[in-house]
Amino acid sequence: MLRRWQQRLWPVEPFELKKIVPLFAMKFFISLNFVILSSLKDTVIVTAPQSGAEVIPILKGWLVLPVVIGATLLYSKLSNLVQRQTLFYGIMAFFLAFLLLYGFVLFPHRDLLCPHSSADWLIQRFGAAWTPWVAVYRYWMDAAFFIVAELWSTLAIFLCFWGFANEINRLGEAKRFYSLFIAGGNLASICAGPLVWYATSKTAGLPFEATLQQLMTFSVITCVCIVSLHWWITRYVLSDPRFQPEEGAGRYQQKTKLSLVQSLRMVMTNRRLLAIAVMVIGFGLTINLVEVTWKANLKLQYPNANDYQAFMGAVSSVTGLLAFTLSLIAGGGMMRSLGWHICAQITPIAIGTTGLLFFLAYLFPETLTPLVGWLGLTPLLLVTLLGATQVIVSKVSKYAFFDMTKEMVYIPLDREARIKGKAAVDMVGSRLGKSGASWIQVALIELLGAGSVLPLAPYLLPVFIIMILGWIGSTYYLRHAVKDEPPASAAQPQPQPRLVNS
């Protein structure tokens, strides 16, 4: 029985710890920095004077997407010129330099660098309806930080970590190990909440600048740890014959050949990559349709930056705790027992169900009257908590199932599809999902003449439902891409060939 539970919770042989522990730690630090940057980027831009949650669709739809496309072009070009290891270090160096610049130079001089006079003139010239657009110009350094924080999720998580993991793990190993890596990311979410609380409590009574610099210091430390772990793995693990991938020891260091245009053409003609793209776009679009409406309510409930940041930290901690427990106890076991298809369907069904409940609660608040009276809460706080629940459930299902099932589909592909196709799908596809949600919201704001995202909910709900159904359909199409029969566990020692005397 103990052996059975050990194989379910930690299906790793002692000799594999040399490979799994540093990968687990790398995913932990990358996810820890992701949670810190995600909460900060929303806080600085949403709680700024003459700004709000309406700025988020503008940033994601009109600024983040072009930057991501440019970063994808650059990544595609550099991957043909330099080794993957050099490219990894270059990406980390960029983030490290910008975080230091923003945290200790740009934000402390925010009042001097913000063009308040010209921004006020623009509002007078074009009207209050353009306030969200002007806020992007007014707080240009915060907008730049928002864009870089969004890049972290696509560059650091999708390409640097998962691209690295897909290169050095076989499919059978992925079915055993990927749930552990995701559990490492979820453990980071658990730790991020107390970390944010520590930073806010330590700087209580001080300007928000002190809190931001405290958290930015943590982010810089995580970048250094990530680079150190990557160096150790490439130096001491990939040189070990026991951990070499099937294509050979030098596969990770090889350069690619296809351009980005050829990669995009490959995505459009490869049905498997196209179905993965629909999954990625579906996740980005649906979760952002809900999140912006929730954050608009959240700002009404917590207008103070420190209160807003503390609530986001609490949401991150709850998310990490639930996702870590589910990934460690159920994620890998469900993958090996129920198969890829059932695990892949969990995320769209969970997001669709909770998102539908949130929209209905917001659109029909009178249905919440008995619950409000029973719990002793205000309607606004109850809707905010329901939105937080939706966000938690969505991210828990993503971390526990979506990331694992999506990454496993890439492994059987050829190397060009695994690297360039993944870059096109994960970077451009994920941004298209988030930017698509932003375009829809910005277009509705213009058409309806609304000054907020809150009146858009009746129009966002049908789009949300259609995208969920498309996501479920693409997952059904991919059900044969990864064989559902469980592989031979590496926990069982592989038979060694016997030497027979001639």
Side-chain angles (χ1 to χ4, degrees):
M1 182 179 295
L2 291 175
R3 178 66 173 173
R4 192 161 55 245
W5 273 102
Q6 183 265 330
Q7 290 180 351
R8 172 174 295 184
L9 299 179
W10 188 255
V12 181
E13 280 294 292
F15 78 92
E16 294 174 323
L17 294 176
K18 179 180 178 181
K19 175 181 180 180
I20 300 308
V21 171
L23 282 173
F24 181 91
M26 183 185 293
K27 184 61 170 67
F28 172 85
F29 286 116
I30 288 179
S31 297
L32 181 65
N33 201 26
F34 169 73
V35 176
I36 293 173
L37 295 180
S38 296
S39 60
L40 275 177
K41 71 179 176 64
D42 290 336
T43 301
V44 296
I45 199 70
V46 171
T47 61
Q50 302 185 61
S51 182
E54 294 75 23
V55 177
I56 296 178
I58 296 173
L59 286 169
K60 289 186 176 181
W62 300 97
L63 292 179
V64 176
L65 180 62
V67 172
V68 168
I69 292 176
T72 308
L73 286 169
L74 183 61
Y75 178 88
S76 179
K77 182 66 176 178
L78 291 177
S79 62
N80 291 337
L81 300 176
V82 301
Q83 294 179 347
R84 297 288 301 282
Q85 182 177 358
T86 305
L87 191 55
F88 183 98
Y89 295 146
I91 292 172
M92 288 296 114
F94 162 74
F95 283 111
L96 187 62
F98 182 86
L99 293 177
L100 288 171
L101 176 66
Y102 177 77
F104 298 94
V105 178
L106 295 179
F107 193 85
H109 300 90
R110 189 187 196 193
D111 292 336
L112 295 176
L113 296 173
C114 288
H116 291 296
S117 300
S118 56
D120 293 338
W121 178 85
L122 288 173
I123 293 178
Q124 294 176 359
R125 176 67 177 80
F126 295 102
W130 286 82
T131 299
W133 295 86
V134 175
V136 175
Y137 165 69
R138 184 192 302 272
Y139 302 106
W140 62 269
M141 73 290 297
D142 298 334
F145 174 67
F146 188 99
I147 293 170
V148 172
E150 287 284 326
L151 277 178
W152 180 266
S153 64
T154 53
L155 284 174
I157 297 179
F158 293 148
L159 296 187
C160 288
F161 177 77
W162 285 117
F164 182 47
N166 290 342
E167 286 290 298
I168 66 176
N169 286 287
R170 302 181 180 91
L171 182 59
E173 293 174 330
K175 291 186 176 183
R176 291 190 294 124
F177 300 154
Y178 277 18
S179 61
L180 300 178
F181 301 155
I182 293 171
N186 299 331
L187 182 62
S189 298
I190 299 174
C191 298
L195 200 65
V196 172
W197 177 85
Y198 169 78
T200 54
S201 61
K202 184 178 179 181
T203 56
L206 299 175
F208 184 68
E209 172 188 335
T211 303
L212 182 136
Q213 290 183 342
Q214 186 77 42
L215 293 174
M216 205 59 63
T217 302
F218 295 147
S219 293
V220 170
I221 294 173
T222 61
C223 290
V224 175
C225 293
I226 292 164
V227 172
S228 302
L229 287 166
H230 185 274
W231 175 85
W232 196 90
I233 293 172
T234 54
R235 178 72 179 272
Y236 296 106
V237 176
L238 296 187
S239 60
D240 192 328
R242 295 175 298 178
F243 304 119
Q244 291 177 3
E246 296 173 354
E247 287 89 339
R251 182 179 80 169
Y252 179 63
Q253 299 295 352
Q254 295 174 1
K255 303 172 186 177
T256 55
K257 300 177 181 179
L258 295 181
S259 66
L260 179 63
V261 175
Q262 292 171 324
S263 302
L264 292 174
R265 187 182 298 119
M266 176 176 58
V267 172
M268 298 305 297
T269 56
N270 188 312
R271 293 183 179 180
R272 183 179 298 181
L273 286 175
L274 195 59
I276 301 173
V278 173
M279 291 173 58
V280 172
I281 293 173
F283 174 79
L285 191 144
T286 52
I287 198 169
N288 277 272
L289 287 178
V290 177
E291 270 198 343
V292 174
T293 305
W294 169 63
K295 288 174 182 176
N297 284 277
L298 183 59
K299 184 186 178 181
L300 295 177
Q301 180 65 38
Y302 299 108
N304 181 268
N306 279 322
D307 295 337
Y308 189 101
Q309 182 71 39
F311 188 87
M312 294 294 289
V315 170
S316 298
S317 293
V318 174
T319 301
L321 180 61
L322 294 177
F324 175 77
T325 304
L326 188 61
S327 299
L328 194 60
I329 295 179
M334 291 178 66
M335 174 63 67
R336 294 186 291 273
S337 59
L338 300 179
W340 182 91
H341 180 228
I342 294 179
C343 292
Q345 292 285 12
I346 291 175
T347 306
I349 292 174
I351 292 179
T353 303
T354 55
L356 181 62
L357 291 175
F358 170 74
F359 275 121
L360 292 178
Y362 176 75
L363 293 174
F364 304 101
E366 62 276 4
T367 60
L368 301 177
T369 303
L371 191 59
V372 167
W374 180 62
L375 295 175
L377 304 174
T378 63
L380 176 60
L381 180 57
L382 184 56
V383 170
T384 301
L385 293 176
L386 286 174
T389 302
Q390 197 280 334
V391 171
I392 291 171
V393 171
S394 300
K395 293 185 177 181
V396 166
S397 61
K398 174 188 182 294
Y399 298 151
F401 299 105
F402 179 76
D403 288 341
M404 175 174 58
T405 54
K406 174 177 71 71
E407 295 301 329
M408 289 175 62
V409 185
Y410 287 114
I411 297 178
L413 300 175
D414 61 82
R415 190 169 190 273
E416 290 286 345
R418 196 165 50 237
I419 297 175
K420 293 296 187 64
K422 177 177 174 58
V425 170
D426 283 349
M427 292 190 68
V428 179
S430 65
R431 295 319 317 177
L432 280 177
K434 297 179 180 180
S435 299
S438 301
W439 291 335
I440 293 171
Q441 291 161 345
V442 171
L444 288 174
I445 288 175
E446 296 296 326
L447 290 175
L448 300 177
S452 169
V453 296
L454 294 176
L456 308 182
Y459 307 94
L460 299 179
L461 181 57
V463 180
F464 177 84
I465 295 174
I466 292 173
M467 198 65 236
I468 287 291
L469 295 177
W471 182 359
I472 292 175
S474 65
T475 303
Y476 180 77
Y477 174 80
L478 287 168
R479 67 192 185 280
H480 298 306
V482 180
K483 294 181 180 180
D484 277 345
E485 59 268 23
S489 174
Q492 303 296 330
Q494 299 296 325
Q496 300 294 327
R498 294 192 305 168
L499 298 177
V500 181
N501 294 331
S502 58

